[in-house]
Amino acid sequence: MRYLSTRGHADRKQFCEILLEGLAPDGGLYLPESYPQIGTEALTRLRDVWQSQGYAALAFEVLSLYIDDIPRDDLKALCLKTYTPEVFGTQAIVPLKPLQAAGHAQPDLYLEALSNGPTLAFKDMAMQLLGNLFEYELGRRGESLNILGATSGDTGSAAEYAMRGKAGVRVFMTSPNGRMSPFQQAQMFSLLDDNIHNIAIEGVFDDCQDLVKAVSNDLAFKRKYKIGTVNSINWARLLAQVVYYFAGYFQATQNNQEKVSFTVPSGNFGNVCAGHVARMMGLPIDRLVVATNENDVLDEFFKTGVYRVRGTNDTHETSSPSMDISKASNFERFVFDLLERDASKTQAIFGEGLSRLGYFDLSGDPRFVRAATVYGFDSGRSTHADRLKTIQQVFAHYGVVIDTHTADGVKVAKEHRNPQVPMVVLETALPIKFAATIVEALGRQPERPPQFDGIESLPKRVQVMKCDVDLIKAYIRQHCD
Ligand SMILES: *Cc1c(COP(=O)(O)O)cnc(C)c1O
């Protein structure tokens, strides 16, 4: 399997080459040259693998269709090491929970639990694999990597928990000092591993991002200190997420003639893009419903054909903060497919077009309607008031407490239900991570998994720093030499 750039660069690369890279050299995103097709027989075999051997074996089967430059035994060992009940909390790894009201013959919806990993958000599903892949590939090459990132919560902690103790990898993670929830701070700052560095910047999240950009733009420094990232455009992260669409499908159906729809709480379009890939492979997915919060860039596109990047003043701070985005960094992958893989058109609208105009408009393009008709996309948005109401209703009807992001999903899923087709909502975080809103909705604290008892009082290691590029470079130098 070889990979190409959405903007038409002539290079074709192998999986391990793009594993440690971010964007393609022309600024595009990597995609496989074609999607491997899963016919009826292969789907039956995969269902059998899932049922008899479980998630890790299923992950190996799916990943091996896309990765041919890691020996199969090694890839299998990496999957088995990653997806264990010890790390992900249950034997099923991604158990499906029916939401069924008393007296109803069928569940109204299903929740697919993706958030029982170490940081209680779905990003662990991909990041844990990435940690093991990085360690493997860096070891093979005899290289090392320093991951520099900026986080306001979920991504940074998922990256740190995935990379802790991994040979050849160091993490330097900046976050805005004092602005994460106490739980999130405790999660990150209580990691005492030598290769994990938490840097609390005196400023806001944008300051952290600007610092990371400034360091990465110093090409000499970047090369010398082998600075890399783990952001959501990484193809390996997306690929790891394809697997749980298969696992969700097998749990919601009895046989391969049935279809399933998924609703996905979305920000950067990484999660639902993995659903698109699964559907392109032939997994019988009916609809892929994109749920946004008040930051509705994506809902606007699917409704109107206009994609309009938001400015800083236009980006809302919401109670589902991991979906607070101004642009959706993975969206280019889907648009490339929608435009029948027309790289020059993709280059024109995402390259100069977007940076000059701040938007593009496909409403007049005959291919736009295919987003819904051929690719199965629907969308909806949710507000703080909807979120509170949904959390209350789900608790009242089913006795289940859901987090704020999952609530956005449930709200939108209800608007798109078809009684003939099971609807699976991806549960992207556990409520304890966003306790303040749960208390606002239900008047009580969410349940805390026992392994997190008392984490706020654990010893912490964090370096508070002024927002200054030279200071952070000096810090990196000091800890690499
Ligand atoms: C990151 C995140 C999302 C959004 O996922 P994308 O892949 O960026 O669309 C949704 N919910 C939670 C809890 C997250 O951490």
Side-chain angles (χ1 to χ4, degrees):
M1 173 64 71
R2 295 189 314 161
Y3 292 87
L4 47 69
S5 162
T6 51
R7 297 198 188 167
H9 196 282
D11 278 0
R12 294 291 178 272
K13 296 199 168 163
Q14 286 200 291
F15 178 82
C16 288
E17 292 179 89
I18 64 171
L19 172 65
L20 302 166
E21 255 184 69
L23 294 172
D26 56 0
L29 277 67
Y30 286 112
L31 274 178
E33 280 187 312
S34 63
Y35 297 110
Q37 294 301 300
I38 303 286
T40 321
E41 263 171 49
L43 196 59
T44 302
R45 202 177 68 79
L46 288 182
R47 185 187 286 273
D48 191 53
V49 168
W50 159 257
Q51 283 171 350
S52 58
Q53 299 171 58
Y55 193 87
L58 176 67
F60 166 68
E61 294 294 334
V62 174
L63 294 175
S64 64
L65 299 171
Y66 290 90
I67 304 175
D68 50 18
D69 53 345
I70 294 177
R72 288 176 66 84
D73 288 348
D74 290 0
L75 185 60
K76 185 148 200 185
L78 288 167
C79 291
L80 290 170
K81 178 175 161 186
T82 302
Y83 297 110
T84 67
E86 290 70 40
V87 175
F88 286 96
T90 65
Q91 200 65 41
I93 309 295
V94 291
L96 204 65
K97 295 188 265 191
L99 295 184
Q100 186 161 354
H104 286 200
Q106 294 284 333
D108 299 323
L109 297 169
Y110 295 86
L111 292 181
E112 185 172 1
L114 306 180
S115 41
N116 296 315
T119 74
L120 308 183
F122 88 96
K123 292 190 174 66
D124 290 330
M125 292 300 305
M127 207 70 96
Q128 287 287 319
L129 181 73
L130 203 66
N132 286 326
L133 282 169
F134 274 20
E135 185 177 56
Y136 175 85
E137 182 59 16
L138 289 167
R140 215 159 56 153
R141 298 183 188 190
E143 288 176 11
S144 65
L145 182 71
N146 293 305
I147 293 166
L148 175 64
T151 190
S152 52
D154 283 350
T155 309
S157 56
E160 290 188 353
Y161 278 78
M163 303 298 164
R164 64 187 296 198
K166 293 279 185 290
V169 188
R170 288 189 197 88
V171 178
F172 296 90
M173 191 57 66
T174 62
S175 59
N177 191 23
R179 287 179 191 251
M180 290 191 297
S181 76
F183 186 86
Q184 284 176 318
Q185 293 187 38
Q187 264 189 324
M188 285 178 62
F189 302 164
S190 64
L191 287 180
L192 304 178
D193 307 72
D194 288 340
N195 69 330
I196 302 296
H197 299 273
N198 282 301
I199 307 172
I201 298 294
E202 293 175 354
V204 295
F205 175 62
D206 284 332
D207 296 321
C208 299
Q209 255 184 333
D210 290 345
L211 269 184
V212 169
K213 264 190 216 141
V215 174
S216 303
N217 286 341
D218 180 343
L219 293 182
F221 185 88
K222 188 178 173 193
R223 203 167 308 123
K224 175 154 189 218
Y225 290 98
K226 304 194 164 56
I227 304 291
T229 59
V230 285
N231 51 29
S232 78
I233 53 147
N234 185 300
W235 167 255
R237 274 182 69 178
L238 205 136
L239 178 58
Q241 295 171 351
V242 172
V243 179
Y244 52 69
Y245 285 89
F246 282 83
Y249 174 77
F250 294 139
Q251 292 178 86
T253 56
Q254 304 291 323
N255 66 65
N256 299 335
Q257 274 65 58
E258 292 177 65
K259 286 195 167 193
V260 167
S261 294
F262 287 91
T263 299
V264 186
S266 293
N268 276 318
F269 204 77
N271 203 357
V272 73
C273 195
H276 164 68
V277 171
R279 196 173 182 278
M280 295 297 282
M281 293 169 73
L283 187 68
I285 296 175
D286 184 24
R287 310 303 295 173
L288 282 168
V289 185
V290 177
T292 75
N293 62 18
E294 291 89 334
N295 297 291
D296 55 359
V297 190
L298 291 167
D299 182 42
E300 182 174 287
F301 174 80
F302 286 107
K303 294 219 161 86
T304 66
V306 177
Y307 179 77
R308 188 171 53 85
V309 172
R310 308 299 200 249
T312 329
N313 298 330
D314 237 356
T315 308
H316 304 268
E317 270 188 39
T318 75
S319 46
S320 45
S322 301
M323 291 155 62
D324 292 351
I325 49 112
S326 55
K327 60 178 180 2
S329 52
N330 268 292
F331 192 49
E332 183 170 336
R333 288 195 161 105
F334 169 67
V335 173
F336 180 65
D337 281 345
L338 178 66
L339 296 173
E340 296 165 303
R341 300 205 145 196
D342 178 342
S344 57
K345 174 91 185 187
T346 308
Q347 156 69 28
I349 61 177
F350 278 96
E352 318 96 61
L354 212 50
S355 48
R356 199 176 63 243
L357 302 171
Y359 76 95
F360 61 76
D361 181 354
L362 293 181
S363 62
D365 190 309
R367 292 170 290 197
F368 169 64
V369 291
R370 294 159 56 93
T373 57
V374 175
Y375 297 97
F377 276 91
D378 285 317
S379 71
R381 83 193 279 277
S382 168
T383 63
H384 183 69
D386 295 324
R387 215 163 284 137
L388 295 178
K389 201 168 106 194
T390 307
I391 292 168
Q392 288 159 355
Q393 284 176 343
V394 169
F395 185 61
H397 295 166
Y398 314 110
V400 173
V401 181
I402 54 172
D403 106 285
T404 53
H405 305 76
T406 309
D408 291 336
V410 169
K411 187 262 178 187
V412 174
K414 283 185 179 165
E415 299 164 354
H416 292 275
R417 247 173 55 81
N418 163 356
Q420 316 302 320
V421 182
M423 173 65 87
V424 176
V425 179
L426 299 186
E427 179 185 61
T428 55
L430 289 196
I432 183 69
K433 291 199 88 170
F434 305 96
T437 308
I438 305 302
V439 172
E440 188 182 344
L442 301 179
R444 52 182 261 177
Q445 287 289 336
E447 200 179 299
R448 176 181 286 234
Q451 69 270 33
F452 292 94
D453 271 343
I455 62 164
E456 287 90 345
S457 52
L458 290 176
K460 293 187 177 64
R461 192 159 65 89
V462 55
Q463 175 73 46
V464 179
M465 197 180 283
K466 283 214 168 54
C467 184
D468 179 332
V469 186
D470 293 327
L471 283 178
I472 193 162
K473 281 186 184 164
Y475 185 90
I476 293 172
R477 256 186 229 113
Q478 187 194 335
H479 290 89
C480 290
D481 293 338

